[in-house]
């Protein structure tokens, strides 16, 4: 009987912990969003975060998009050639990349690179009292550290995804032309015939939301880290894992909201 | 009788079931230096972090200039706490900024002065703690421990605070560098006419920088007196602590 009660108590404690964490995250996100609109503003910090999230993530996002587009063209050809639908490859590649693969893969890559870096930097600042030091120097840490990263995430990700879209489509185009023997002109015409503005815009909206999620989870986990190097390591892992899961979950919700026939 | 610059009454703080501060009472007169001693984990850092507003106490009163910062409107409490400069135990210098920007950080944030003027002021303050202007553009990681402590001290005094807190100012330094930092602290506090609280394990440092001293034990202030009497008092807790004896009431308390 005691074993059953202990088991229920453990489950209850885990549920309460999880709810507490969700509450903490919600308060952190709310405070962060309020910090975005409330002065003072720190343009230098926004610029620095833009470089970290955007510019330095460009190589990894570009390569991911390029190879994904190439693989997508090859795999689509394998499937579509079995029922003589090869002509649909161009549309499939461009729609998949702009609506789905561009934002999601860029989000996962940026989460692994910039999200982890944010958590590690803020975590180190937390365990070495640098965040407390900011407070003693008339600077609100949420405004100085978190708000610029949230803003930069929402700006940098759509820009990265726009580039990823172009490179992904280009990857598919190169494979279709050079490997599968498609006529380049016909492929390009076919690509853009079925592409609509909302295909691209929905991907960019997703990208902005994913950018917010990456920055939020990086800052949240770093900000509350404790216990020295081990705590910073745990915060970094948690930032990447939680951002990746949230990106995939929110992707479904956004796809449902932005769904068009 | 003048109002204490800092007055703490019945301050309590628990972390879960762990009692850290259990009714701390403390007065610091204007222009004087108080040294708080106590064992590791006795709540010294929690005490000064509570005054700074970095930790929210469970109950009690913290007055600065006669105003309770725990019940005062947020803006007023913030303004009162802005007169506090803090030297953190490990310096807590910002790795991503050069030395001069670390020193001028508060000036740029509070007084909104131009970066060029802030740099000039930072170099002036660095000179006051014995550092040449050629360190201004270095990164904190390029400095020795003693130099980092001086930069941290320069950052704490740059905006000429009326109140200064020092958290283990000599920890990790050799005895000579420790004495140098103590002299700088005494010099800065006297020159600025500041009120200060220092927490330390280093008895030589406590005697050098303190006018008065208090011992924090078991969540309460168990002794107060002149800092010069730290090594001669007959209070058994202070006597055992300052002389580092393994036998005595503190050990008995740990066994219990």
């Amino acid at each position: 009987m005691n074993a059953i009660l202990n088991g229920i108590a453990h489950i209850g404690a885990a549920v309460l912990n999880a709810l507490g964490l969700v509450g903490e995250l919600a308060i952190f996100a709310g405070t962060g969003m309020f910090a975005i609109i409330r002065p003072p503003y720190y343009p230098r910090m926004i610029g620095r975060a833009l470089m970290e999230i955007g510019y330095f993530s460009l190589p990894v996002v570009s390569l991911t998009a390029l190879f994904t587009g190439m693989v997508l063209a090859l795999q689509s050809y394998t499937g579509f050639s079995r029922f003589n639908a090869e002509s649909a490859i161009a549309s499939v590649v461009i729609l998949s990349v702009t609506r789905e693969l561009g934002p999601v893969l860029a989000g996962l890559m940026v989460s692994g690179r910039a999200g982890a870096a944010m958590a590690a930097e803020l975590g180190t600042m937390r365990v070495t009292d640098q965040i407390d030091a900011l407070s003693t120097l008339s600077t609100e840490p949420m405004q100085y550290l978190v708000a610029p990263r949230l803003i930069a995430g929402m700006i940098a990700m759509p820009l990265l995804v726009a580039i990823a879209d172009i490179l992904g489509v280009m990857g598919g185009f190169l494979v279709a032309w050079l490997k599968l023997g498609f006529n380049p002109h016909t492929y390009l015409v076919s690509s853009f015939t079925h592409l609509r503005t909302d295909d691209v815009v929905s991907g960019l909206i997703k990208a902005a939301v994913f950018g917010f999620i990456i920055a939020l989870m990086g800052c949240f986990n770093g900000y509350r880290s404790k216990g020295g190097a081990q705590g910073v390591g745990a915060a970094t892992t948690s930032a990447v894992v939680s951002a990746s899961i949230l990106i995939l979950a929110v992707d479904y919700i956004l796809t449902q909201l932005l769904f068009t026939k | 009788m003048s109002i204490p610059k800092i007055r703490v009454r019945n301050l309590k703080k628990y972390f879960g079931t762990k009692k850290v501060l259990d009714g701390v009472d403390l007065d610091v007169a204007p222009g004087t230096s108080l040294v708080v001693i106590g064992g590791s984990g006795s709540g010294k850092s929690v005490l000064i972090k509570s005054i700074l507003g970095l930790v929210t106490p469970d109950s009690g009163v913290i007055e600065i200039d006669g105003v309770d910062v725990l019940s005062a409107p947020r803006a007023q409490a913030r303004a009162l706490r802005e007169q506090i400069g803090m030297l953190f135990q490990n310096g807590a210098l910002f790795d991503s900024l050069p030395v001069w920007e670390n020193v001028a950080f508060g000036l740029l944030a509070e007084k909104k002065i131009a970066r060029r003027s802030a740099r000039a002021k930072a170099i002036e303050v660095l000179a006051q703690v014995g550092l040449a202007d050629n360190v201004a553009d270095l990164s904190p990681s390029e400095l020795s421990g003693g130099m980092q402590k001086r930069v941290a001290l320069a950052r704490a005094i740059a905006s000429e605070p009326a109140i200064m807190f020092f958290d283990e100012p000599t920890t990790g330094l050799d005895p000579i560098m420790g004495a140098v930092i103590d002299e700088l602290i005494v010099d800065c506090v006297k020159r600025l006419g500041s009120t200060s609280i220092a927490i330390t394990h280093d008895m030589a440092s406590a005697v050098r920088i303190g006018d008065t001293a208090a011992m924090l034990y078991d969540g309460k202030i168990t002794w107060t007196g002149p800092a010069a009497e730290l090594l001669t008092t007959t209070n058994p807790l202070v006597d055992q602590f300052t002389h580092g004896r393994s036998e005595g009431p503190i050990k008995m308390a740990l066994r219990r």
Side-chain angles (χ1 to χ4, degrees):
Chain A
M1 188 63 185
N2 271 348
I4 295 170
L5 287 175
N6 280 341
I8 293 170
H10 280 301
I11 294 167
V15 170
L16 286 176
N17 275 342
L19 288 175
L21 193 64
V22 170
E24 259 185 75
L25 177 61
I27 291 169
F28 189 87
T31 314
M33 285 192 278
F34 185 55
I36 289 174
I37 54 172
R38 192 166 48 114
Y41 308 109
Y42 296 97
R44 291 168 70 90
M45 293 300 285
I46 296 172
R48 200 185 135 210
L50 274 172
M51 291 293 283
E52 280 293 324
I53 300 170
Y55 182 72
F56 293 122
S57 299
L58 197 51
V60 69
V61 169
S62 300
L63 286 172
T64 304
L66 186 69
F67 286 116
T68 301
M70 291 165 75
V71 169
L72 192 59
L74 276 178
Q75 293 285 32
S76 304
Y77 184 81
T78 307
F80 289 3
S81 63
R82 290 177 190 171
F83 42 90
N84 300 319
E86 294 92 333
S87 60
I89 290 174
S91 301
V92 166
V93 169
I94 198 164
L95 291 179
S96 305
V97 167
T98 54
R99 291 185 69 94
E100 191 59 43
L101 294 175
V104 170
L105 291 177
L108 295 176
M109 287 294 142
V110 173
S111 161
R113 214 202 69 79
M118 272 182 238
E121 185 177 355
L122 266 63
T124 305
M125 289 186 75
R126 168 60 74 197
V127 300
T128 57
D129 289 331
Q130 291 179 52
I131 292 181
D132 283 348
L134 279 175
S135 300
T136 67
L137 293 164
S138 309
T139 302
E140 172 56 54
M142 288 298 285
Q143 285 180 283
Y144 184 76
L145 296 174
V146 179
R149 285 171 170 83
L150 293 176
I151 293 168
M154 288 189 287
I155 295 171
M157 270 297 287
L159 296 174
L160 281 172
V161 167
I163 294 167
D165 286 351
I166 294 166
L167 290 171
V169 172
M170 197 209 289
F173 166 72
L174 289 174
V175 167
W177 173 30
L178 300 173
K179 169 85 178 161
L180 303 175
F182 279 68
N183 177 293
H185 180 258
T186 310
Y187 184 93
L188 285 177
V189 169
S190 178
S191 287
F192 292 103
T193 301
H194 298 106
L195 183 71
R196 296 196 314 229
T197 308
D198 59 336
D199 296 324
V200 179
V201 170
S202 69
L204 298 181
I205 292 172
K206 281 183 179 180
V209 176
F210 295 165
F212 180 80
I213 289 171
I214 292 163
L216 178 69
M217 298 317 292
C219 293
F220 176 67
N221 284 287
Y223 205 84
R224 59 196 289 279
S225 71
K226 51 189 165 192
Q230 196 179 11
V232 175
T236 306
T237 307
S238 184
V240 176
V241 172
S242 56
S244 301
I245 291 170
L246 268 178
I247 283 172
L248 295 172
V250 171
D251 181 45
Y252 176 75
I253 296 167
L254 288 175
T255 305
Q256 184 90 4
L257 287 173
L258 301 168
F259 181 74
T260 49
K261 287 186 180 175
Chain B
M1 189 179 165
S2 66
I3 299 172
K5 186 74 179 171
I6 299 169
R7 181 173 175 269
V8 176
R9 285 292 175 273
N10 202 24
L11 192 69
K12 293 186 179 179
K13 178 66 186 175
Y14 288 68
F15 289 110
T17 55
K18 189 184 173 199
K19 174 180 70 180
V20 180
L21 302 178
D22 188 31
V24 169
D25 294 329
L26 206 62
D27 286 330
V28 190
T32 64
S33 295
L34 170 73
V35 173
V36 180
I37 62 168
S40 299
S42 62
K44 303 184 299 296
S45 293
V46 174
L47 172 62
I48 59 171
K49 284 186 175 181
S50 297
I51 301 172
L52 275 165
L54 300 174
V55 168
T56 308
D58 296 324
S59 63
V61 172
I62 298 172
E63 288 180 1
I64 298 175
D65 291 334
V67 178
D68 182 8
V69 289
L70 298 178
S71 59
R74 194 183 159 97
Q76 189 184 10
R78 190 186 162 113
L80 287 165
R81 282 173 167 142
E82 275 181 359
Q83 28 173 349
I84 304 176
M86 170 82 184
L87 172 63
F88 286 86
Q89 183 175 349
N90 56 14
L93 297 174
F94 305 126
D95 313 314
S96 56
L97 301 178
V99 164
W100 80 262
E101 223 170 316
N102 265 280
V103 175
F105 196 94
L107 298 172
L108 290 163
E110 279 169 41
K111 300 186 176 162
K112 312 283 182 204
I113 62 174
R115 289 176 66 80
R116 185 183 292 249
S117 312
R119 192 177 192 282
K121 173 72 179 173
I123 288 171
E124 190 184 305
V125 180
L126 282 169
Q128 289 172 16
V129 296
L131 290 173
D133 59 0
N134 59 4
V135 303
D137 293 312
L138 297 179
S139 158
S141 61
E142 294 176 86
L143 306 177
S144 67
M147 289 169 90
Q148 286 186 10
K149 215 68 158 192
R150 288 178 192 226
V151 174
L153 179 60
R155 184 176 69 181
I157 64 170
S159 54
E160 303 182 354
I163 301 170
M164 295 175 73
F165 289 169
F166 305 102
D167 187 357
E168 305 280 3
T170 56
T171 296
L173 301 177
D174 64 67
I176 296 170
M177 184 52 72
V180 169
I181 293 292
D182 284 343
E183 280 173 24
L184 286 171
I185 286 173
V186 172
D187 177 53
C188 293
V189 169
K190 297 287 179 230
R191 185 162 36 82
L192 298 172
S194 305
T195 304
S196 75
I197 299 180
I199 58 179
T200 184
H201 288 129
D202 180 347
M203 289 310 115
S205 173
V207 173
R208 275 196 293 260
I209 63 181
D211 297 320
T212 57
M215 175 150 182
L216 187 59
Y217 175 69
D218 204 20
K220 292 185 172 70
I221 297 292
T222 53
W223 177 85
T224 55
E229 289 179 14
L230 269 172
L231 298 170
T232 55
T233 178
T234 54
N235 179 292
L237 288 167
V238 180
D239 179 57
Q240 184 192 351
F241 185 80
T242 54
H243 293 93
R245 296 195 183 97
S246 57
E247 292 299 320
I250 296 176
K251 188 175 179 184
M252 292 301 287
L254 290 173
R255 279 179 185 160
R256 188 175 67 231

XYZ file of all heavy atoms in Angstrom, chain B residues 6 8-9 23-29 33-38 47 197 210-217 220-239 242:
343
model
N 21.959 52.377 7.440
C 21.285 51.109 7.147
C 20.791 50.526 8.471
O 21.539 50.469 9.452
C 22.247 50.105 6.476
C 22.761 50.670 5.151
C 21.554 48.757 6.247
C 23.894 49.872 4.560
N 18.534 47.194 9.916
C 17.869 45.919 9.606
C 17.209 45.418 10.881
O 17.829 45.426 11.940
C 18.902 44.882 9.101
C 18.255 43.524 8.873
C 19.565 45.368 7.814
N 15.951 45.013 10.773
C 15.238 44.512 11.948
C 14.502 43.212 11.625
O 13.745 43.141 10.649
C 14.203 45.540 12.437
C 14.816 46.720 13.163
C 15.447 46.308 14.516
N 16.128 47.411 15.166
C 17.401 47.767 14.950
N 18.137 47.089 14.096
N 17.942 48.788 15.596
N 15.929 36.358 11.966
C 15.713 37.507 12.839
C 16.974 38.332 13.026
O 17.406 38.566 14.155
N 17.537 38.776 11.918
C 18.777 39.560 11.987
C 18.454 41.020 12.309
O 17.558 41.615 11.693
C 19.554 39.474 10.645
C 20.684 40.493 10.601
C 20.084 38.073 10.428
N 19.165 41.567 13.291
C 19.066 42.991 13.633
C 20.448 43.615 13.439
O 21.442 43.047 13.895
C 18.660 43.171 15.107
C 17.250 42.670 15.366
O 16.410 42.746 14.458
O 17.014 42.169 16.486
N 20.468 44.774 12.780
C 21.759 45.377 12.449
C 21.587 46.870 12.254
O 20.596 47.311 11.674
C 22.221 44.755 11.111
C 23.697 44.688 10.773
C 24.422 43.824 11.790
C 23.856 44.058 9.385
N 22.542 47.659 12.767
C 22.562 49.101 12.491
C 23.939 49.475 11.955
O 24.945 49.014 12.506
C 22.331 49.917 13.775
C 20.880 49.866 14.223
O 19.998 49.728 13.357
O 20.645 49.945 15.451
N 23.958 50.277 10.906
C 25.244 50.785 10.428
C 25.145 52.312 10.399
O 24.316 52.872 9.668
C 25.593 50.254 9.012
C 27.030 50.609 8.656
C 25.375 48.749 8.908
N 25.958 52.946 11.221
C 25.912 54.412 11.299
C 26.519 55.034 10.038
O 27.399 54.437 9.415
C 26.694 54.866 12.530
N 32.258 51.750 8.829
C 32.431 50.482 8.124
C 32.130 49.334 9.073
O 32.757 49.218 10.131
C 33.874 50.351 7.630
O 34.136 51.340 6.674
N 31.191 48.502 8.678
C 30.843 47.321 9.473
C 31.395 46.080 8.769
O 31.259 45.950 7.546
C 29.316 47.193 9.584
C 28.812 45.870 10.179
C 29.071 45.811 11.685
C 27.329 45.677 9.906
N 32.010 45.202 9.543
C 32.463 43.927 8.984
C 31.594 42.824 9.574
O 31.411 42.767 10.790
C 33.942 43.666 9.344
C 34.348 42.276 8.903
C 34.837 44.690 8.696
N 31.029 41.993 8.708
C 30.220 40.868 9.175
C 31.035 39.598 8.972
O 31.492 39.322 7.854
C 28.887 40.766 8.401
C 28.062 39.586 8.918
C 28.092 42.061 8.553
N 31.243 38.863 10.078
C 31.963 37.593 9.964
C 30.994 36.456 10.257
O 29.918 36.658 10.819
C 33.182 37.528 10.920
C 32.719 37.635 12.383
C 34.185 38.623 10.591
C 33.804 37.286 13.386
N 31.390 35.261 9.874
C 30.546 34.091 10.101
C 31.013 32.963 9.214
O 31.684 33.196 8.201
N 22.390 38.090 3.459
C 22.090 39.344 4.161
C 22.336 40.550 3.252
O 21.460 41.404 3.079
C 22.947 39.443 5.437
C 22.896 40.768 6.194
C 21.487 41.050 6.698
C 23.888 40.768 7.360
N 29.577 47.949 4.283
C 29.463 46.649 4.938
C 30.362 45.688 4.173
O 30.272 45.602 2.945
C 28.016 46.095 4.917
C 27.057 47.037 5.658
C 27.972 44.703 5.548
C 25.608 46.555 5.677
N 37.390 47.303 9.026
C 36.171 47.554 9.785
C 36.348 48.550 10.910
O 37.389 48.594 11.562
N 35.303 49.385 11.145
C 35.236 50.169 12.374
C 34.544 49.320 13.432
O 34.972 49.265 14.574
C 34.421 51.453 12.142
C 35.069 52.364 11.123
O 36.305 52.492 11.156
O 34.347 52.923 10.270
N 33.446 48.704 13.016
C 32.717 47.807 13.921
C 32.608 46.442 13.252
O 32.829 46.314 12.047
C 31.300 48.339 14.215
O 30.617 48.511 12.973
C 31.335 49.645 14.973
N 32.267 45.439 14.069
C 32.143 44.082 13.527
C 30.924 43.408 14.125
O 30.449 43.788 15.211
C 33.405 43.278 13.831
N 30.401 42.441 13.387
C 29.262 41.655 13.887
C 29.474 40.219 13.466
O 30.037 39.947 12.404
C 27.963 42.203 13.292
N 29.042 39.286 14.311
C 29.159 37.882 13.933
C 27.769 37.313 13.678
O 26.860 37.443 14.492
C 29.836 37.073 15.034
C 29.845 35.593 14.676
S 31.224 34.727 15.344
C 30.928 33.083 14.694
N 27.627 36.699 12.493
C 26.368 36.067 12.108
C 26.514 34.570 12.350
O 27.415 33.922 11.807
C 26.090 36.357 10.627
C 24.747 35.924 10.051
C 23.593 36.585 10.792
C 24.661 36.280 8.573
N 25.634 34.047 13.194
C 25.711 32.625 13.508
C 24.305 32.097 13.753
O 23.510 32.744 14.442
C 26.599 32.416 14.747
C 26.643 30.982 15.205
C 27.283 30.006 14.443
C 26.016 30.584 16.383
C 27.302 28.691 14.856
C 26.047 29.275 16.798
C 26.682 28.323 16.022
O 26.695 27.018 16.426
N 21.396 34.497 13.196
C 21.228 35.719 14.010
C 22.569 36.415 14.201
O 23.617 35.786 14.086
C 20.685 35.361 15.397
C 19.263 34.838 15.418
C 18.825 34.633 16.866
C 17.351 34.287 16.970
N 17.042 32.936 16.469
N 22.508 37.713 14.526
C 23.722 38.422 14.916
C 23.963 38.069 16.393
O 23.148 38.394 17.254
C 23.560 39.948 14.742
C 23.324 40.299 13.265
C 24.781 40.686 15.295
C 24.485 40.066 12.337
N 25.086 37.396 16.643
C 25.321 36.913 18.008
C 26.313 37.795 18.775
O 26.471 37.627 19.985
C 25.872 35.480 17.988
O 27.014 35.454 17.128
C 24.829 34.512 17.466
N 26.993 38.674 18.067
C 27.958 39.561 18.745
C 28.181 40.799 17.895
O 28.238 40.716 16.664
C 29.297 38.830 18.935
C 30.376 39.680 19.569
C 30.578 39.882 20.900
C 31.392 40.449 18.889
N 31.647 40.721 21.094
C 32.173 41.088 19.878
C 31.709 40.661 17.557
C 33.245 41.910 19.573
C 32.784 41.489 17.236
C 33.544 42.099 18.246
N 28.259 41.934 18.522
C 28.707 43.147 17.815
C 29.700 43.874 18.714
O 29.620 43.783 19.942
C 27.546 44.125 17.497
O 26.873 44.425 18.703
C 26.579 43.558 16.478
N 30.620 44.567 18.098
C 31.613 45.310 18.868
C 32.605 45.966 17.935
O 32.496 45.839 16.715
N 33.585 46.660 18.510
C 34.609 47.280 17.651
C 35.398 46.196 16.894
O 35.702 45.142 17.479
C 35.506 48.016 18.654
C 34.699 48.136 19.904
C 33.788 46.966 19.936
N 35.720 46.459 15.644
C 36.457 45.467 14.852
C 37.815 45.157 15.489
O 38.314 44.035 15.394
C 36.649 45.994 13.421
N 38.394 46.175 16.171
C 39.705 45.978 16.801
C 39.658 44.918 17.903
O 40.683 44.361 18.284
C 40.197 47.308 17.361
N 38.434 44.648 18.420
C 38.310 43.666 19.518
C 38.020 42.255 19.023
O 37.813 41.343 19.821
C 37.208 44.112 20.485
C 37.602 45.324 21.313
C 36.484 45.767 22.245
O 35.515 45.009 22.447
O 36.584 46.901 22.757
N 37.949 42.082 17.700
C 37.604 40.763 17.151
C 38.517 39.656 17.677
O 38.069 38.550 17.971
C 37.706 40.790 15.612
C 36.436 41.150 14.838
C 36.745 41.313 13.367
C 35.356 40.107 15.042
N 39.807 39.979 17.792
C 40.764 38.942 18.161
C 40.961 38.828 19.670
O 41.637 37.928 20.147
C 42.114 39.214 17.483
C 42.065 39.188 15.942
C 43.364 39.691 15.349
C 41.765 37.789 15.436
N 40.333 39.750 20.420
C 40.557 39.721 21.867
C 39.281 39.481 22.668
O 39.349 39.276 23.879
C 41.176 41.059 22.328
O 40.323 42.127 21.900
C 42.565 41.255 21.752
N 38.146 39.513 22.022
C 36.892 39.352 22.760
C 36.814 37.976 23.425
O 37.379 36.991 22.928
C 35.665 39.567 21.832
O 34.481 39.348 22.580
C 35.678 38.594 20.685
N 36.058 37.933 24.522
C 35.903 36.643 25.225
C 34.641 35.919 24.783
O 34.354 34.832 25.284
C 35.831 36.880 26.745
O 34.794 37.839 26.993
C 37.171 37.377 27.273
N 33.874 36.525 23.872
C 32.689 35.822 23.363
C 33.140 34.478 22.774
O 33.992 34.438 21.882
C 32.016 36.673 22.280
C 30.780 35.980 21.698
O 30.904 34.963 21.022
N 29.619 36.538 21.968
N 32.603 33.358 23.272
C 33.126 32.058 22.848
C 32.958 31.773 21.349
O 33.830 31.156 20.730
C 32.329 31.050 23.695
C 31.166 31.800 24.256
C 31.538 33.245 24.295
N 31.859 32.232 20.769
C 31.647 31.993 19.332
C 32.686 32.742 18.494
O 33.317 32.182 17.601
C 30.236 32.456 18.912
C 29.058 31.603 19.383
C 27.752 32.343 19.169
C 29.033 30.278 18.617
N 32.851 34.036 18.840
C 33.792 34.866 18.077
C 35.218 34.381 18.324
O 36.024 34.268 17.380
C 33.653 36.357 18.470
C 34.640 37.214 17.674
C 32.239 36.836 18.232
N 35.505 34.080 19.571
C 36.853 33.621 19.919
C 37.211 32.362 19.126
O 38.302 32.258 18.555
C 36.902 33.347 21.431
C 38.264 32.845 21.859
O 39.246 33.562 21.604
O 38.347 31.740 22.421
N 37.424 33.360 15.217
C 38.555 34.196 14.793
C 39.896 33.476 14.954
O 40.838 33.748 14.222
C 38.610 35.527 15.584
O 38.619 35.225 16.972
C 37.441 36.413 15.245
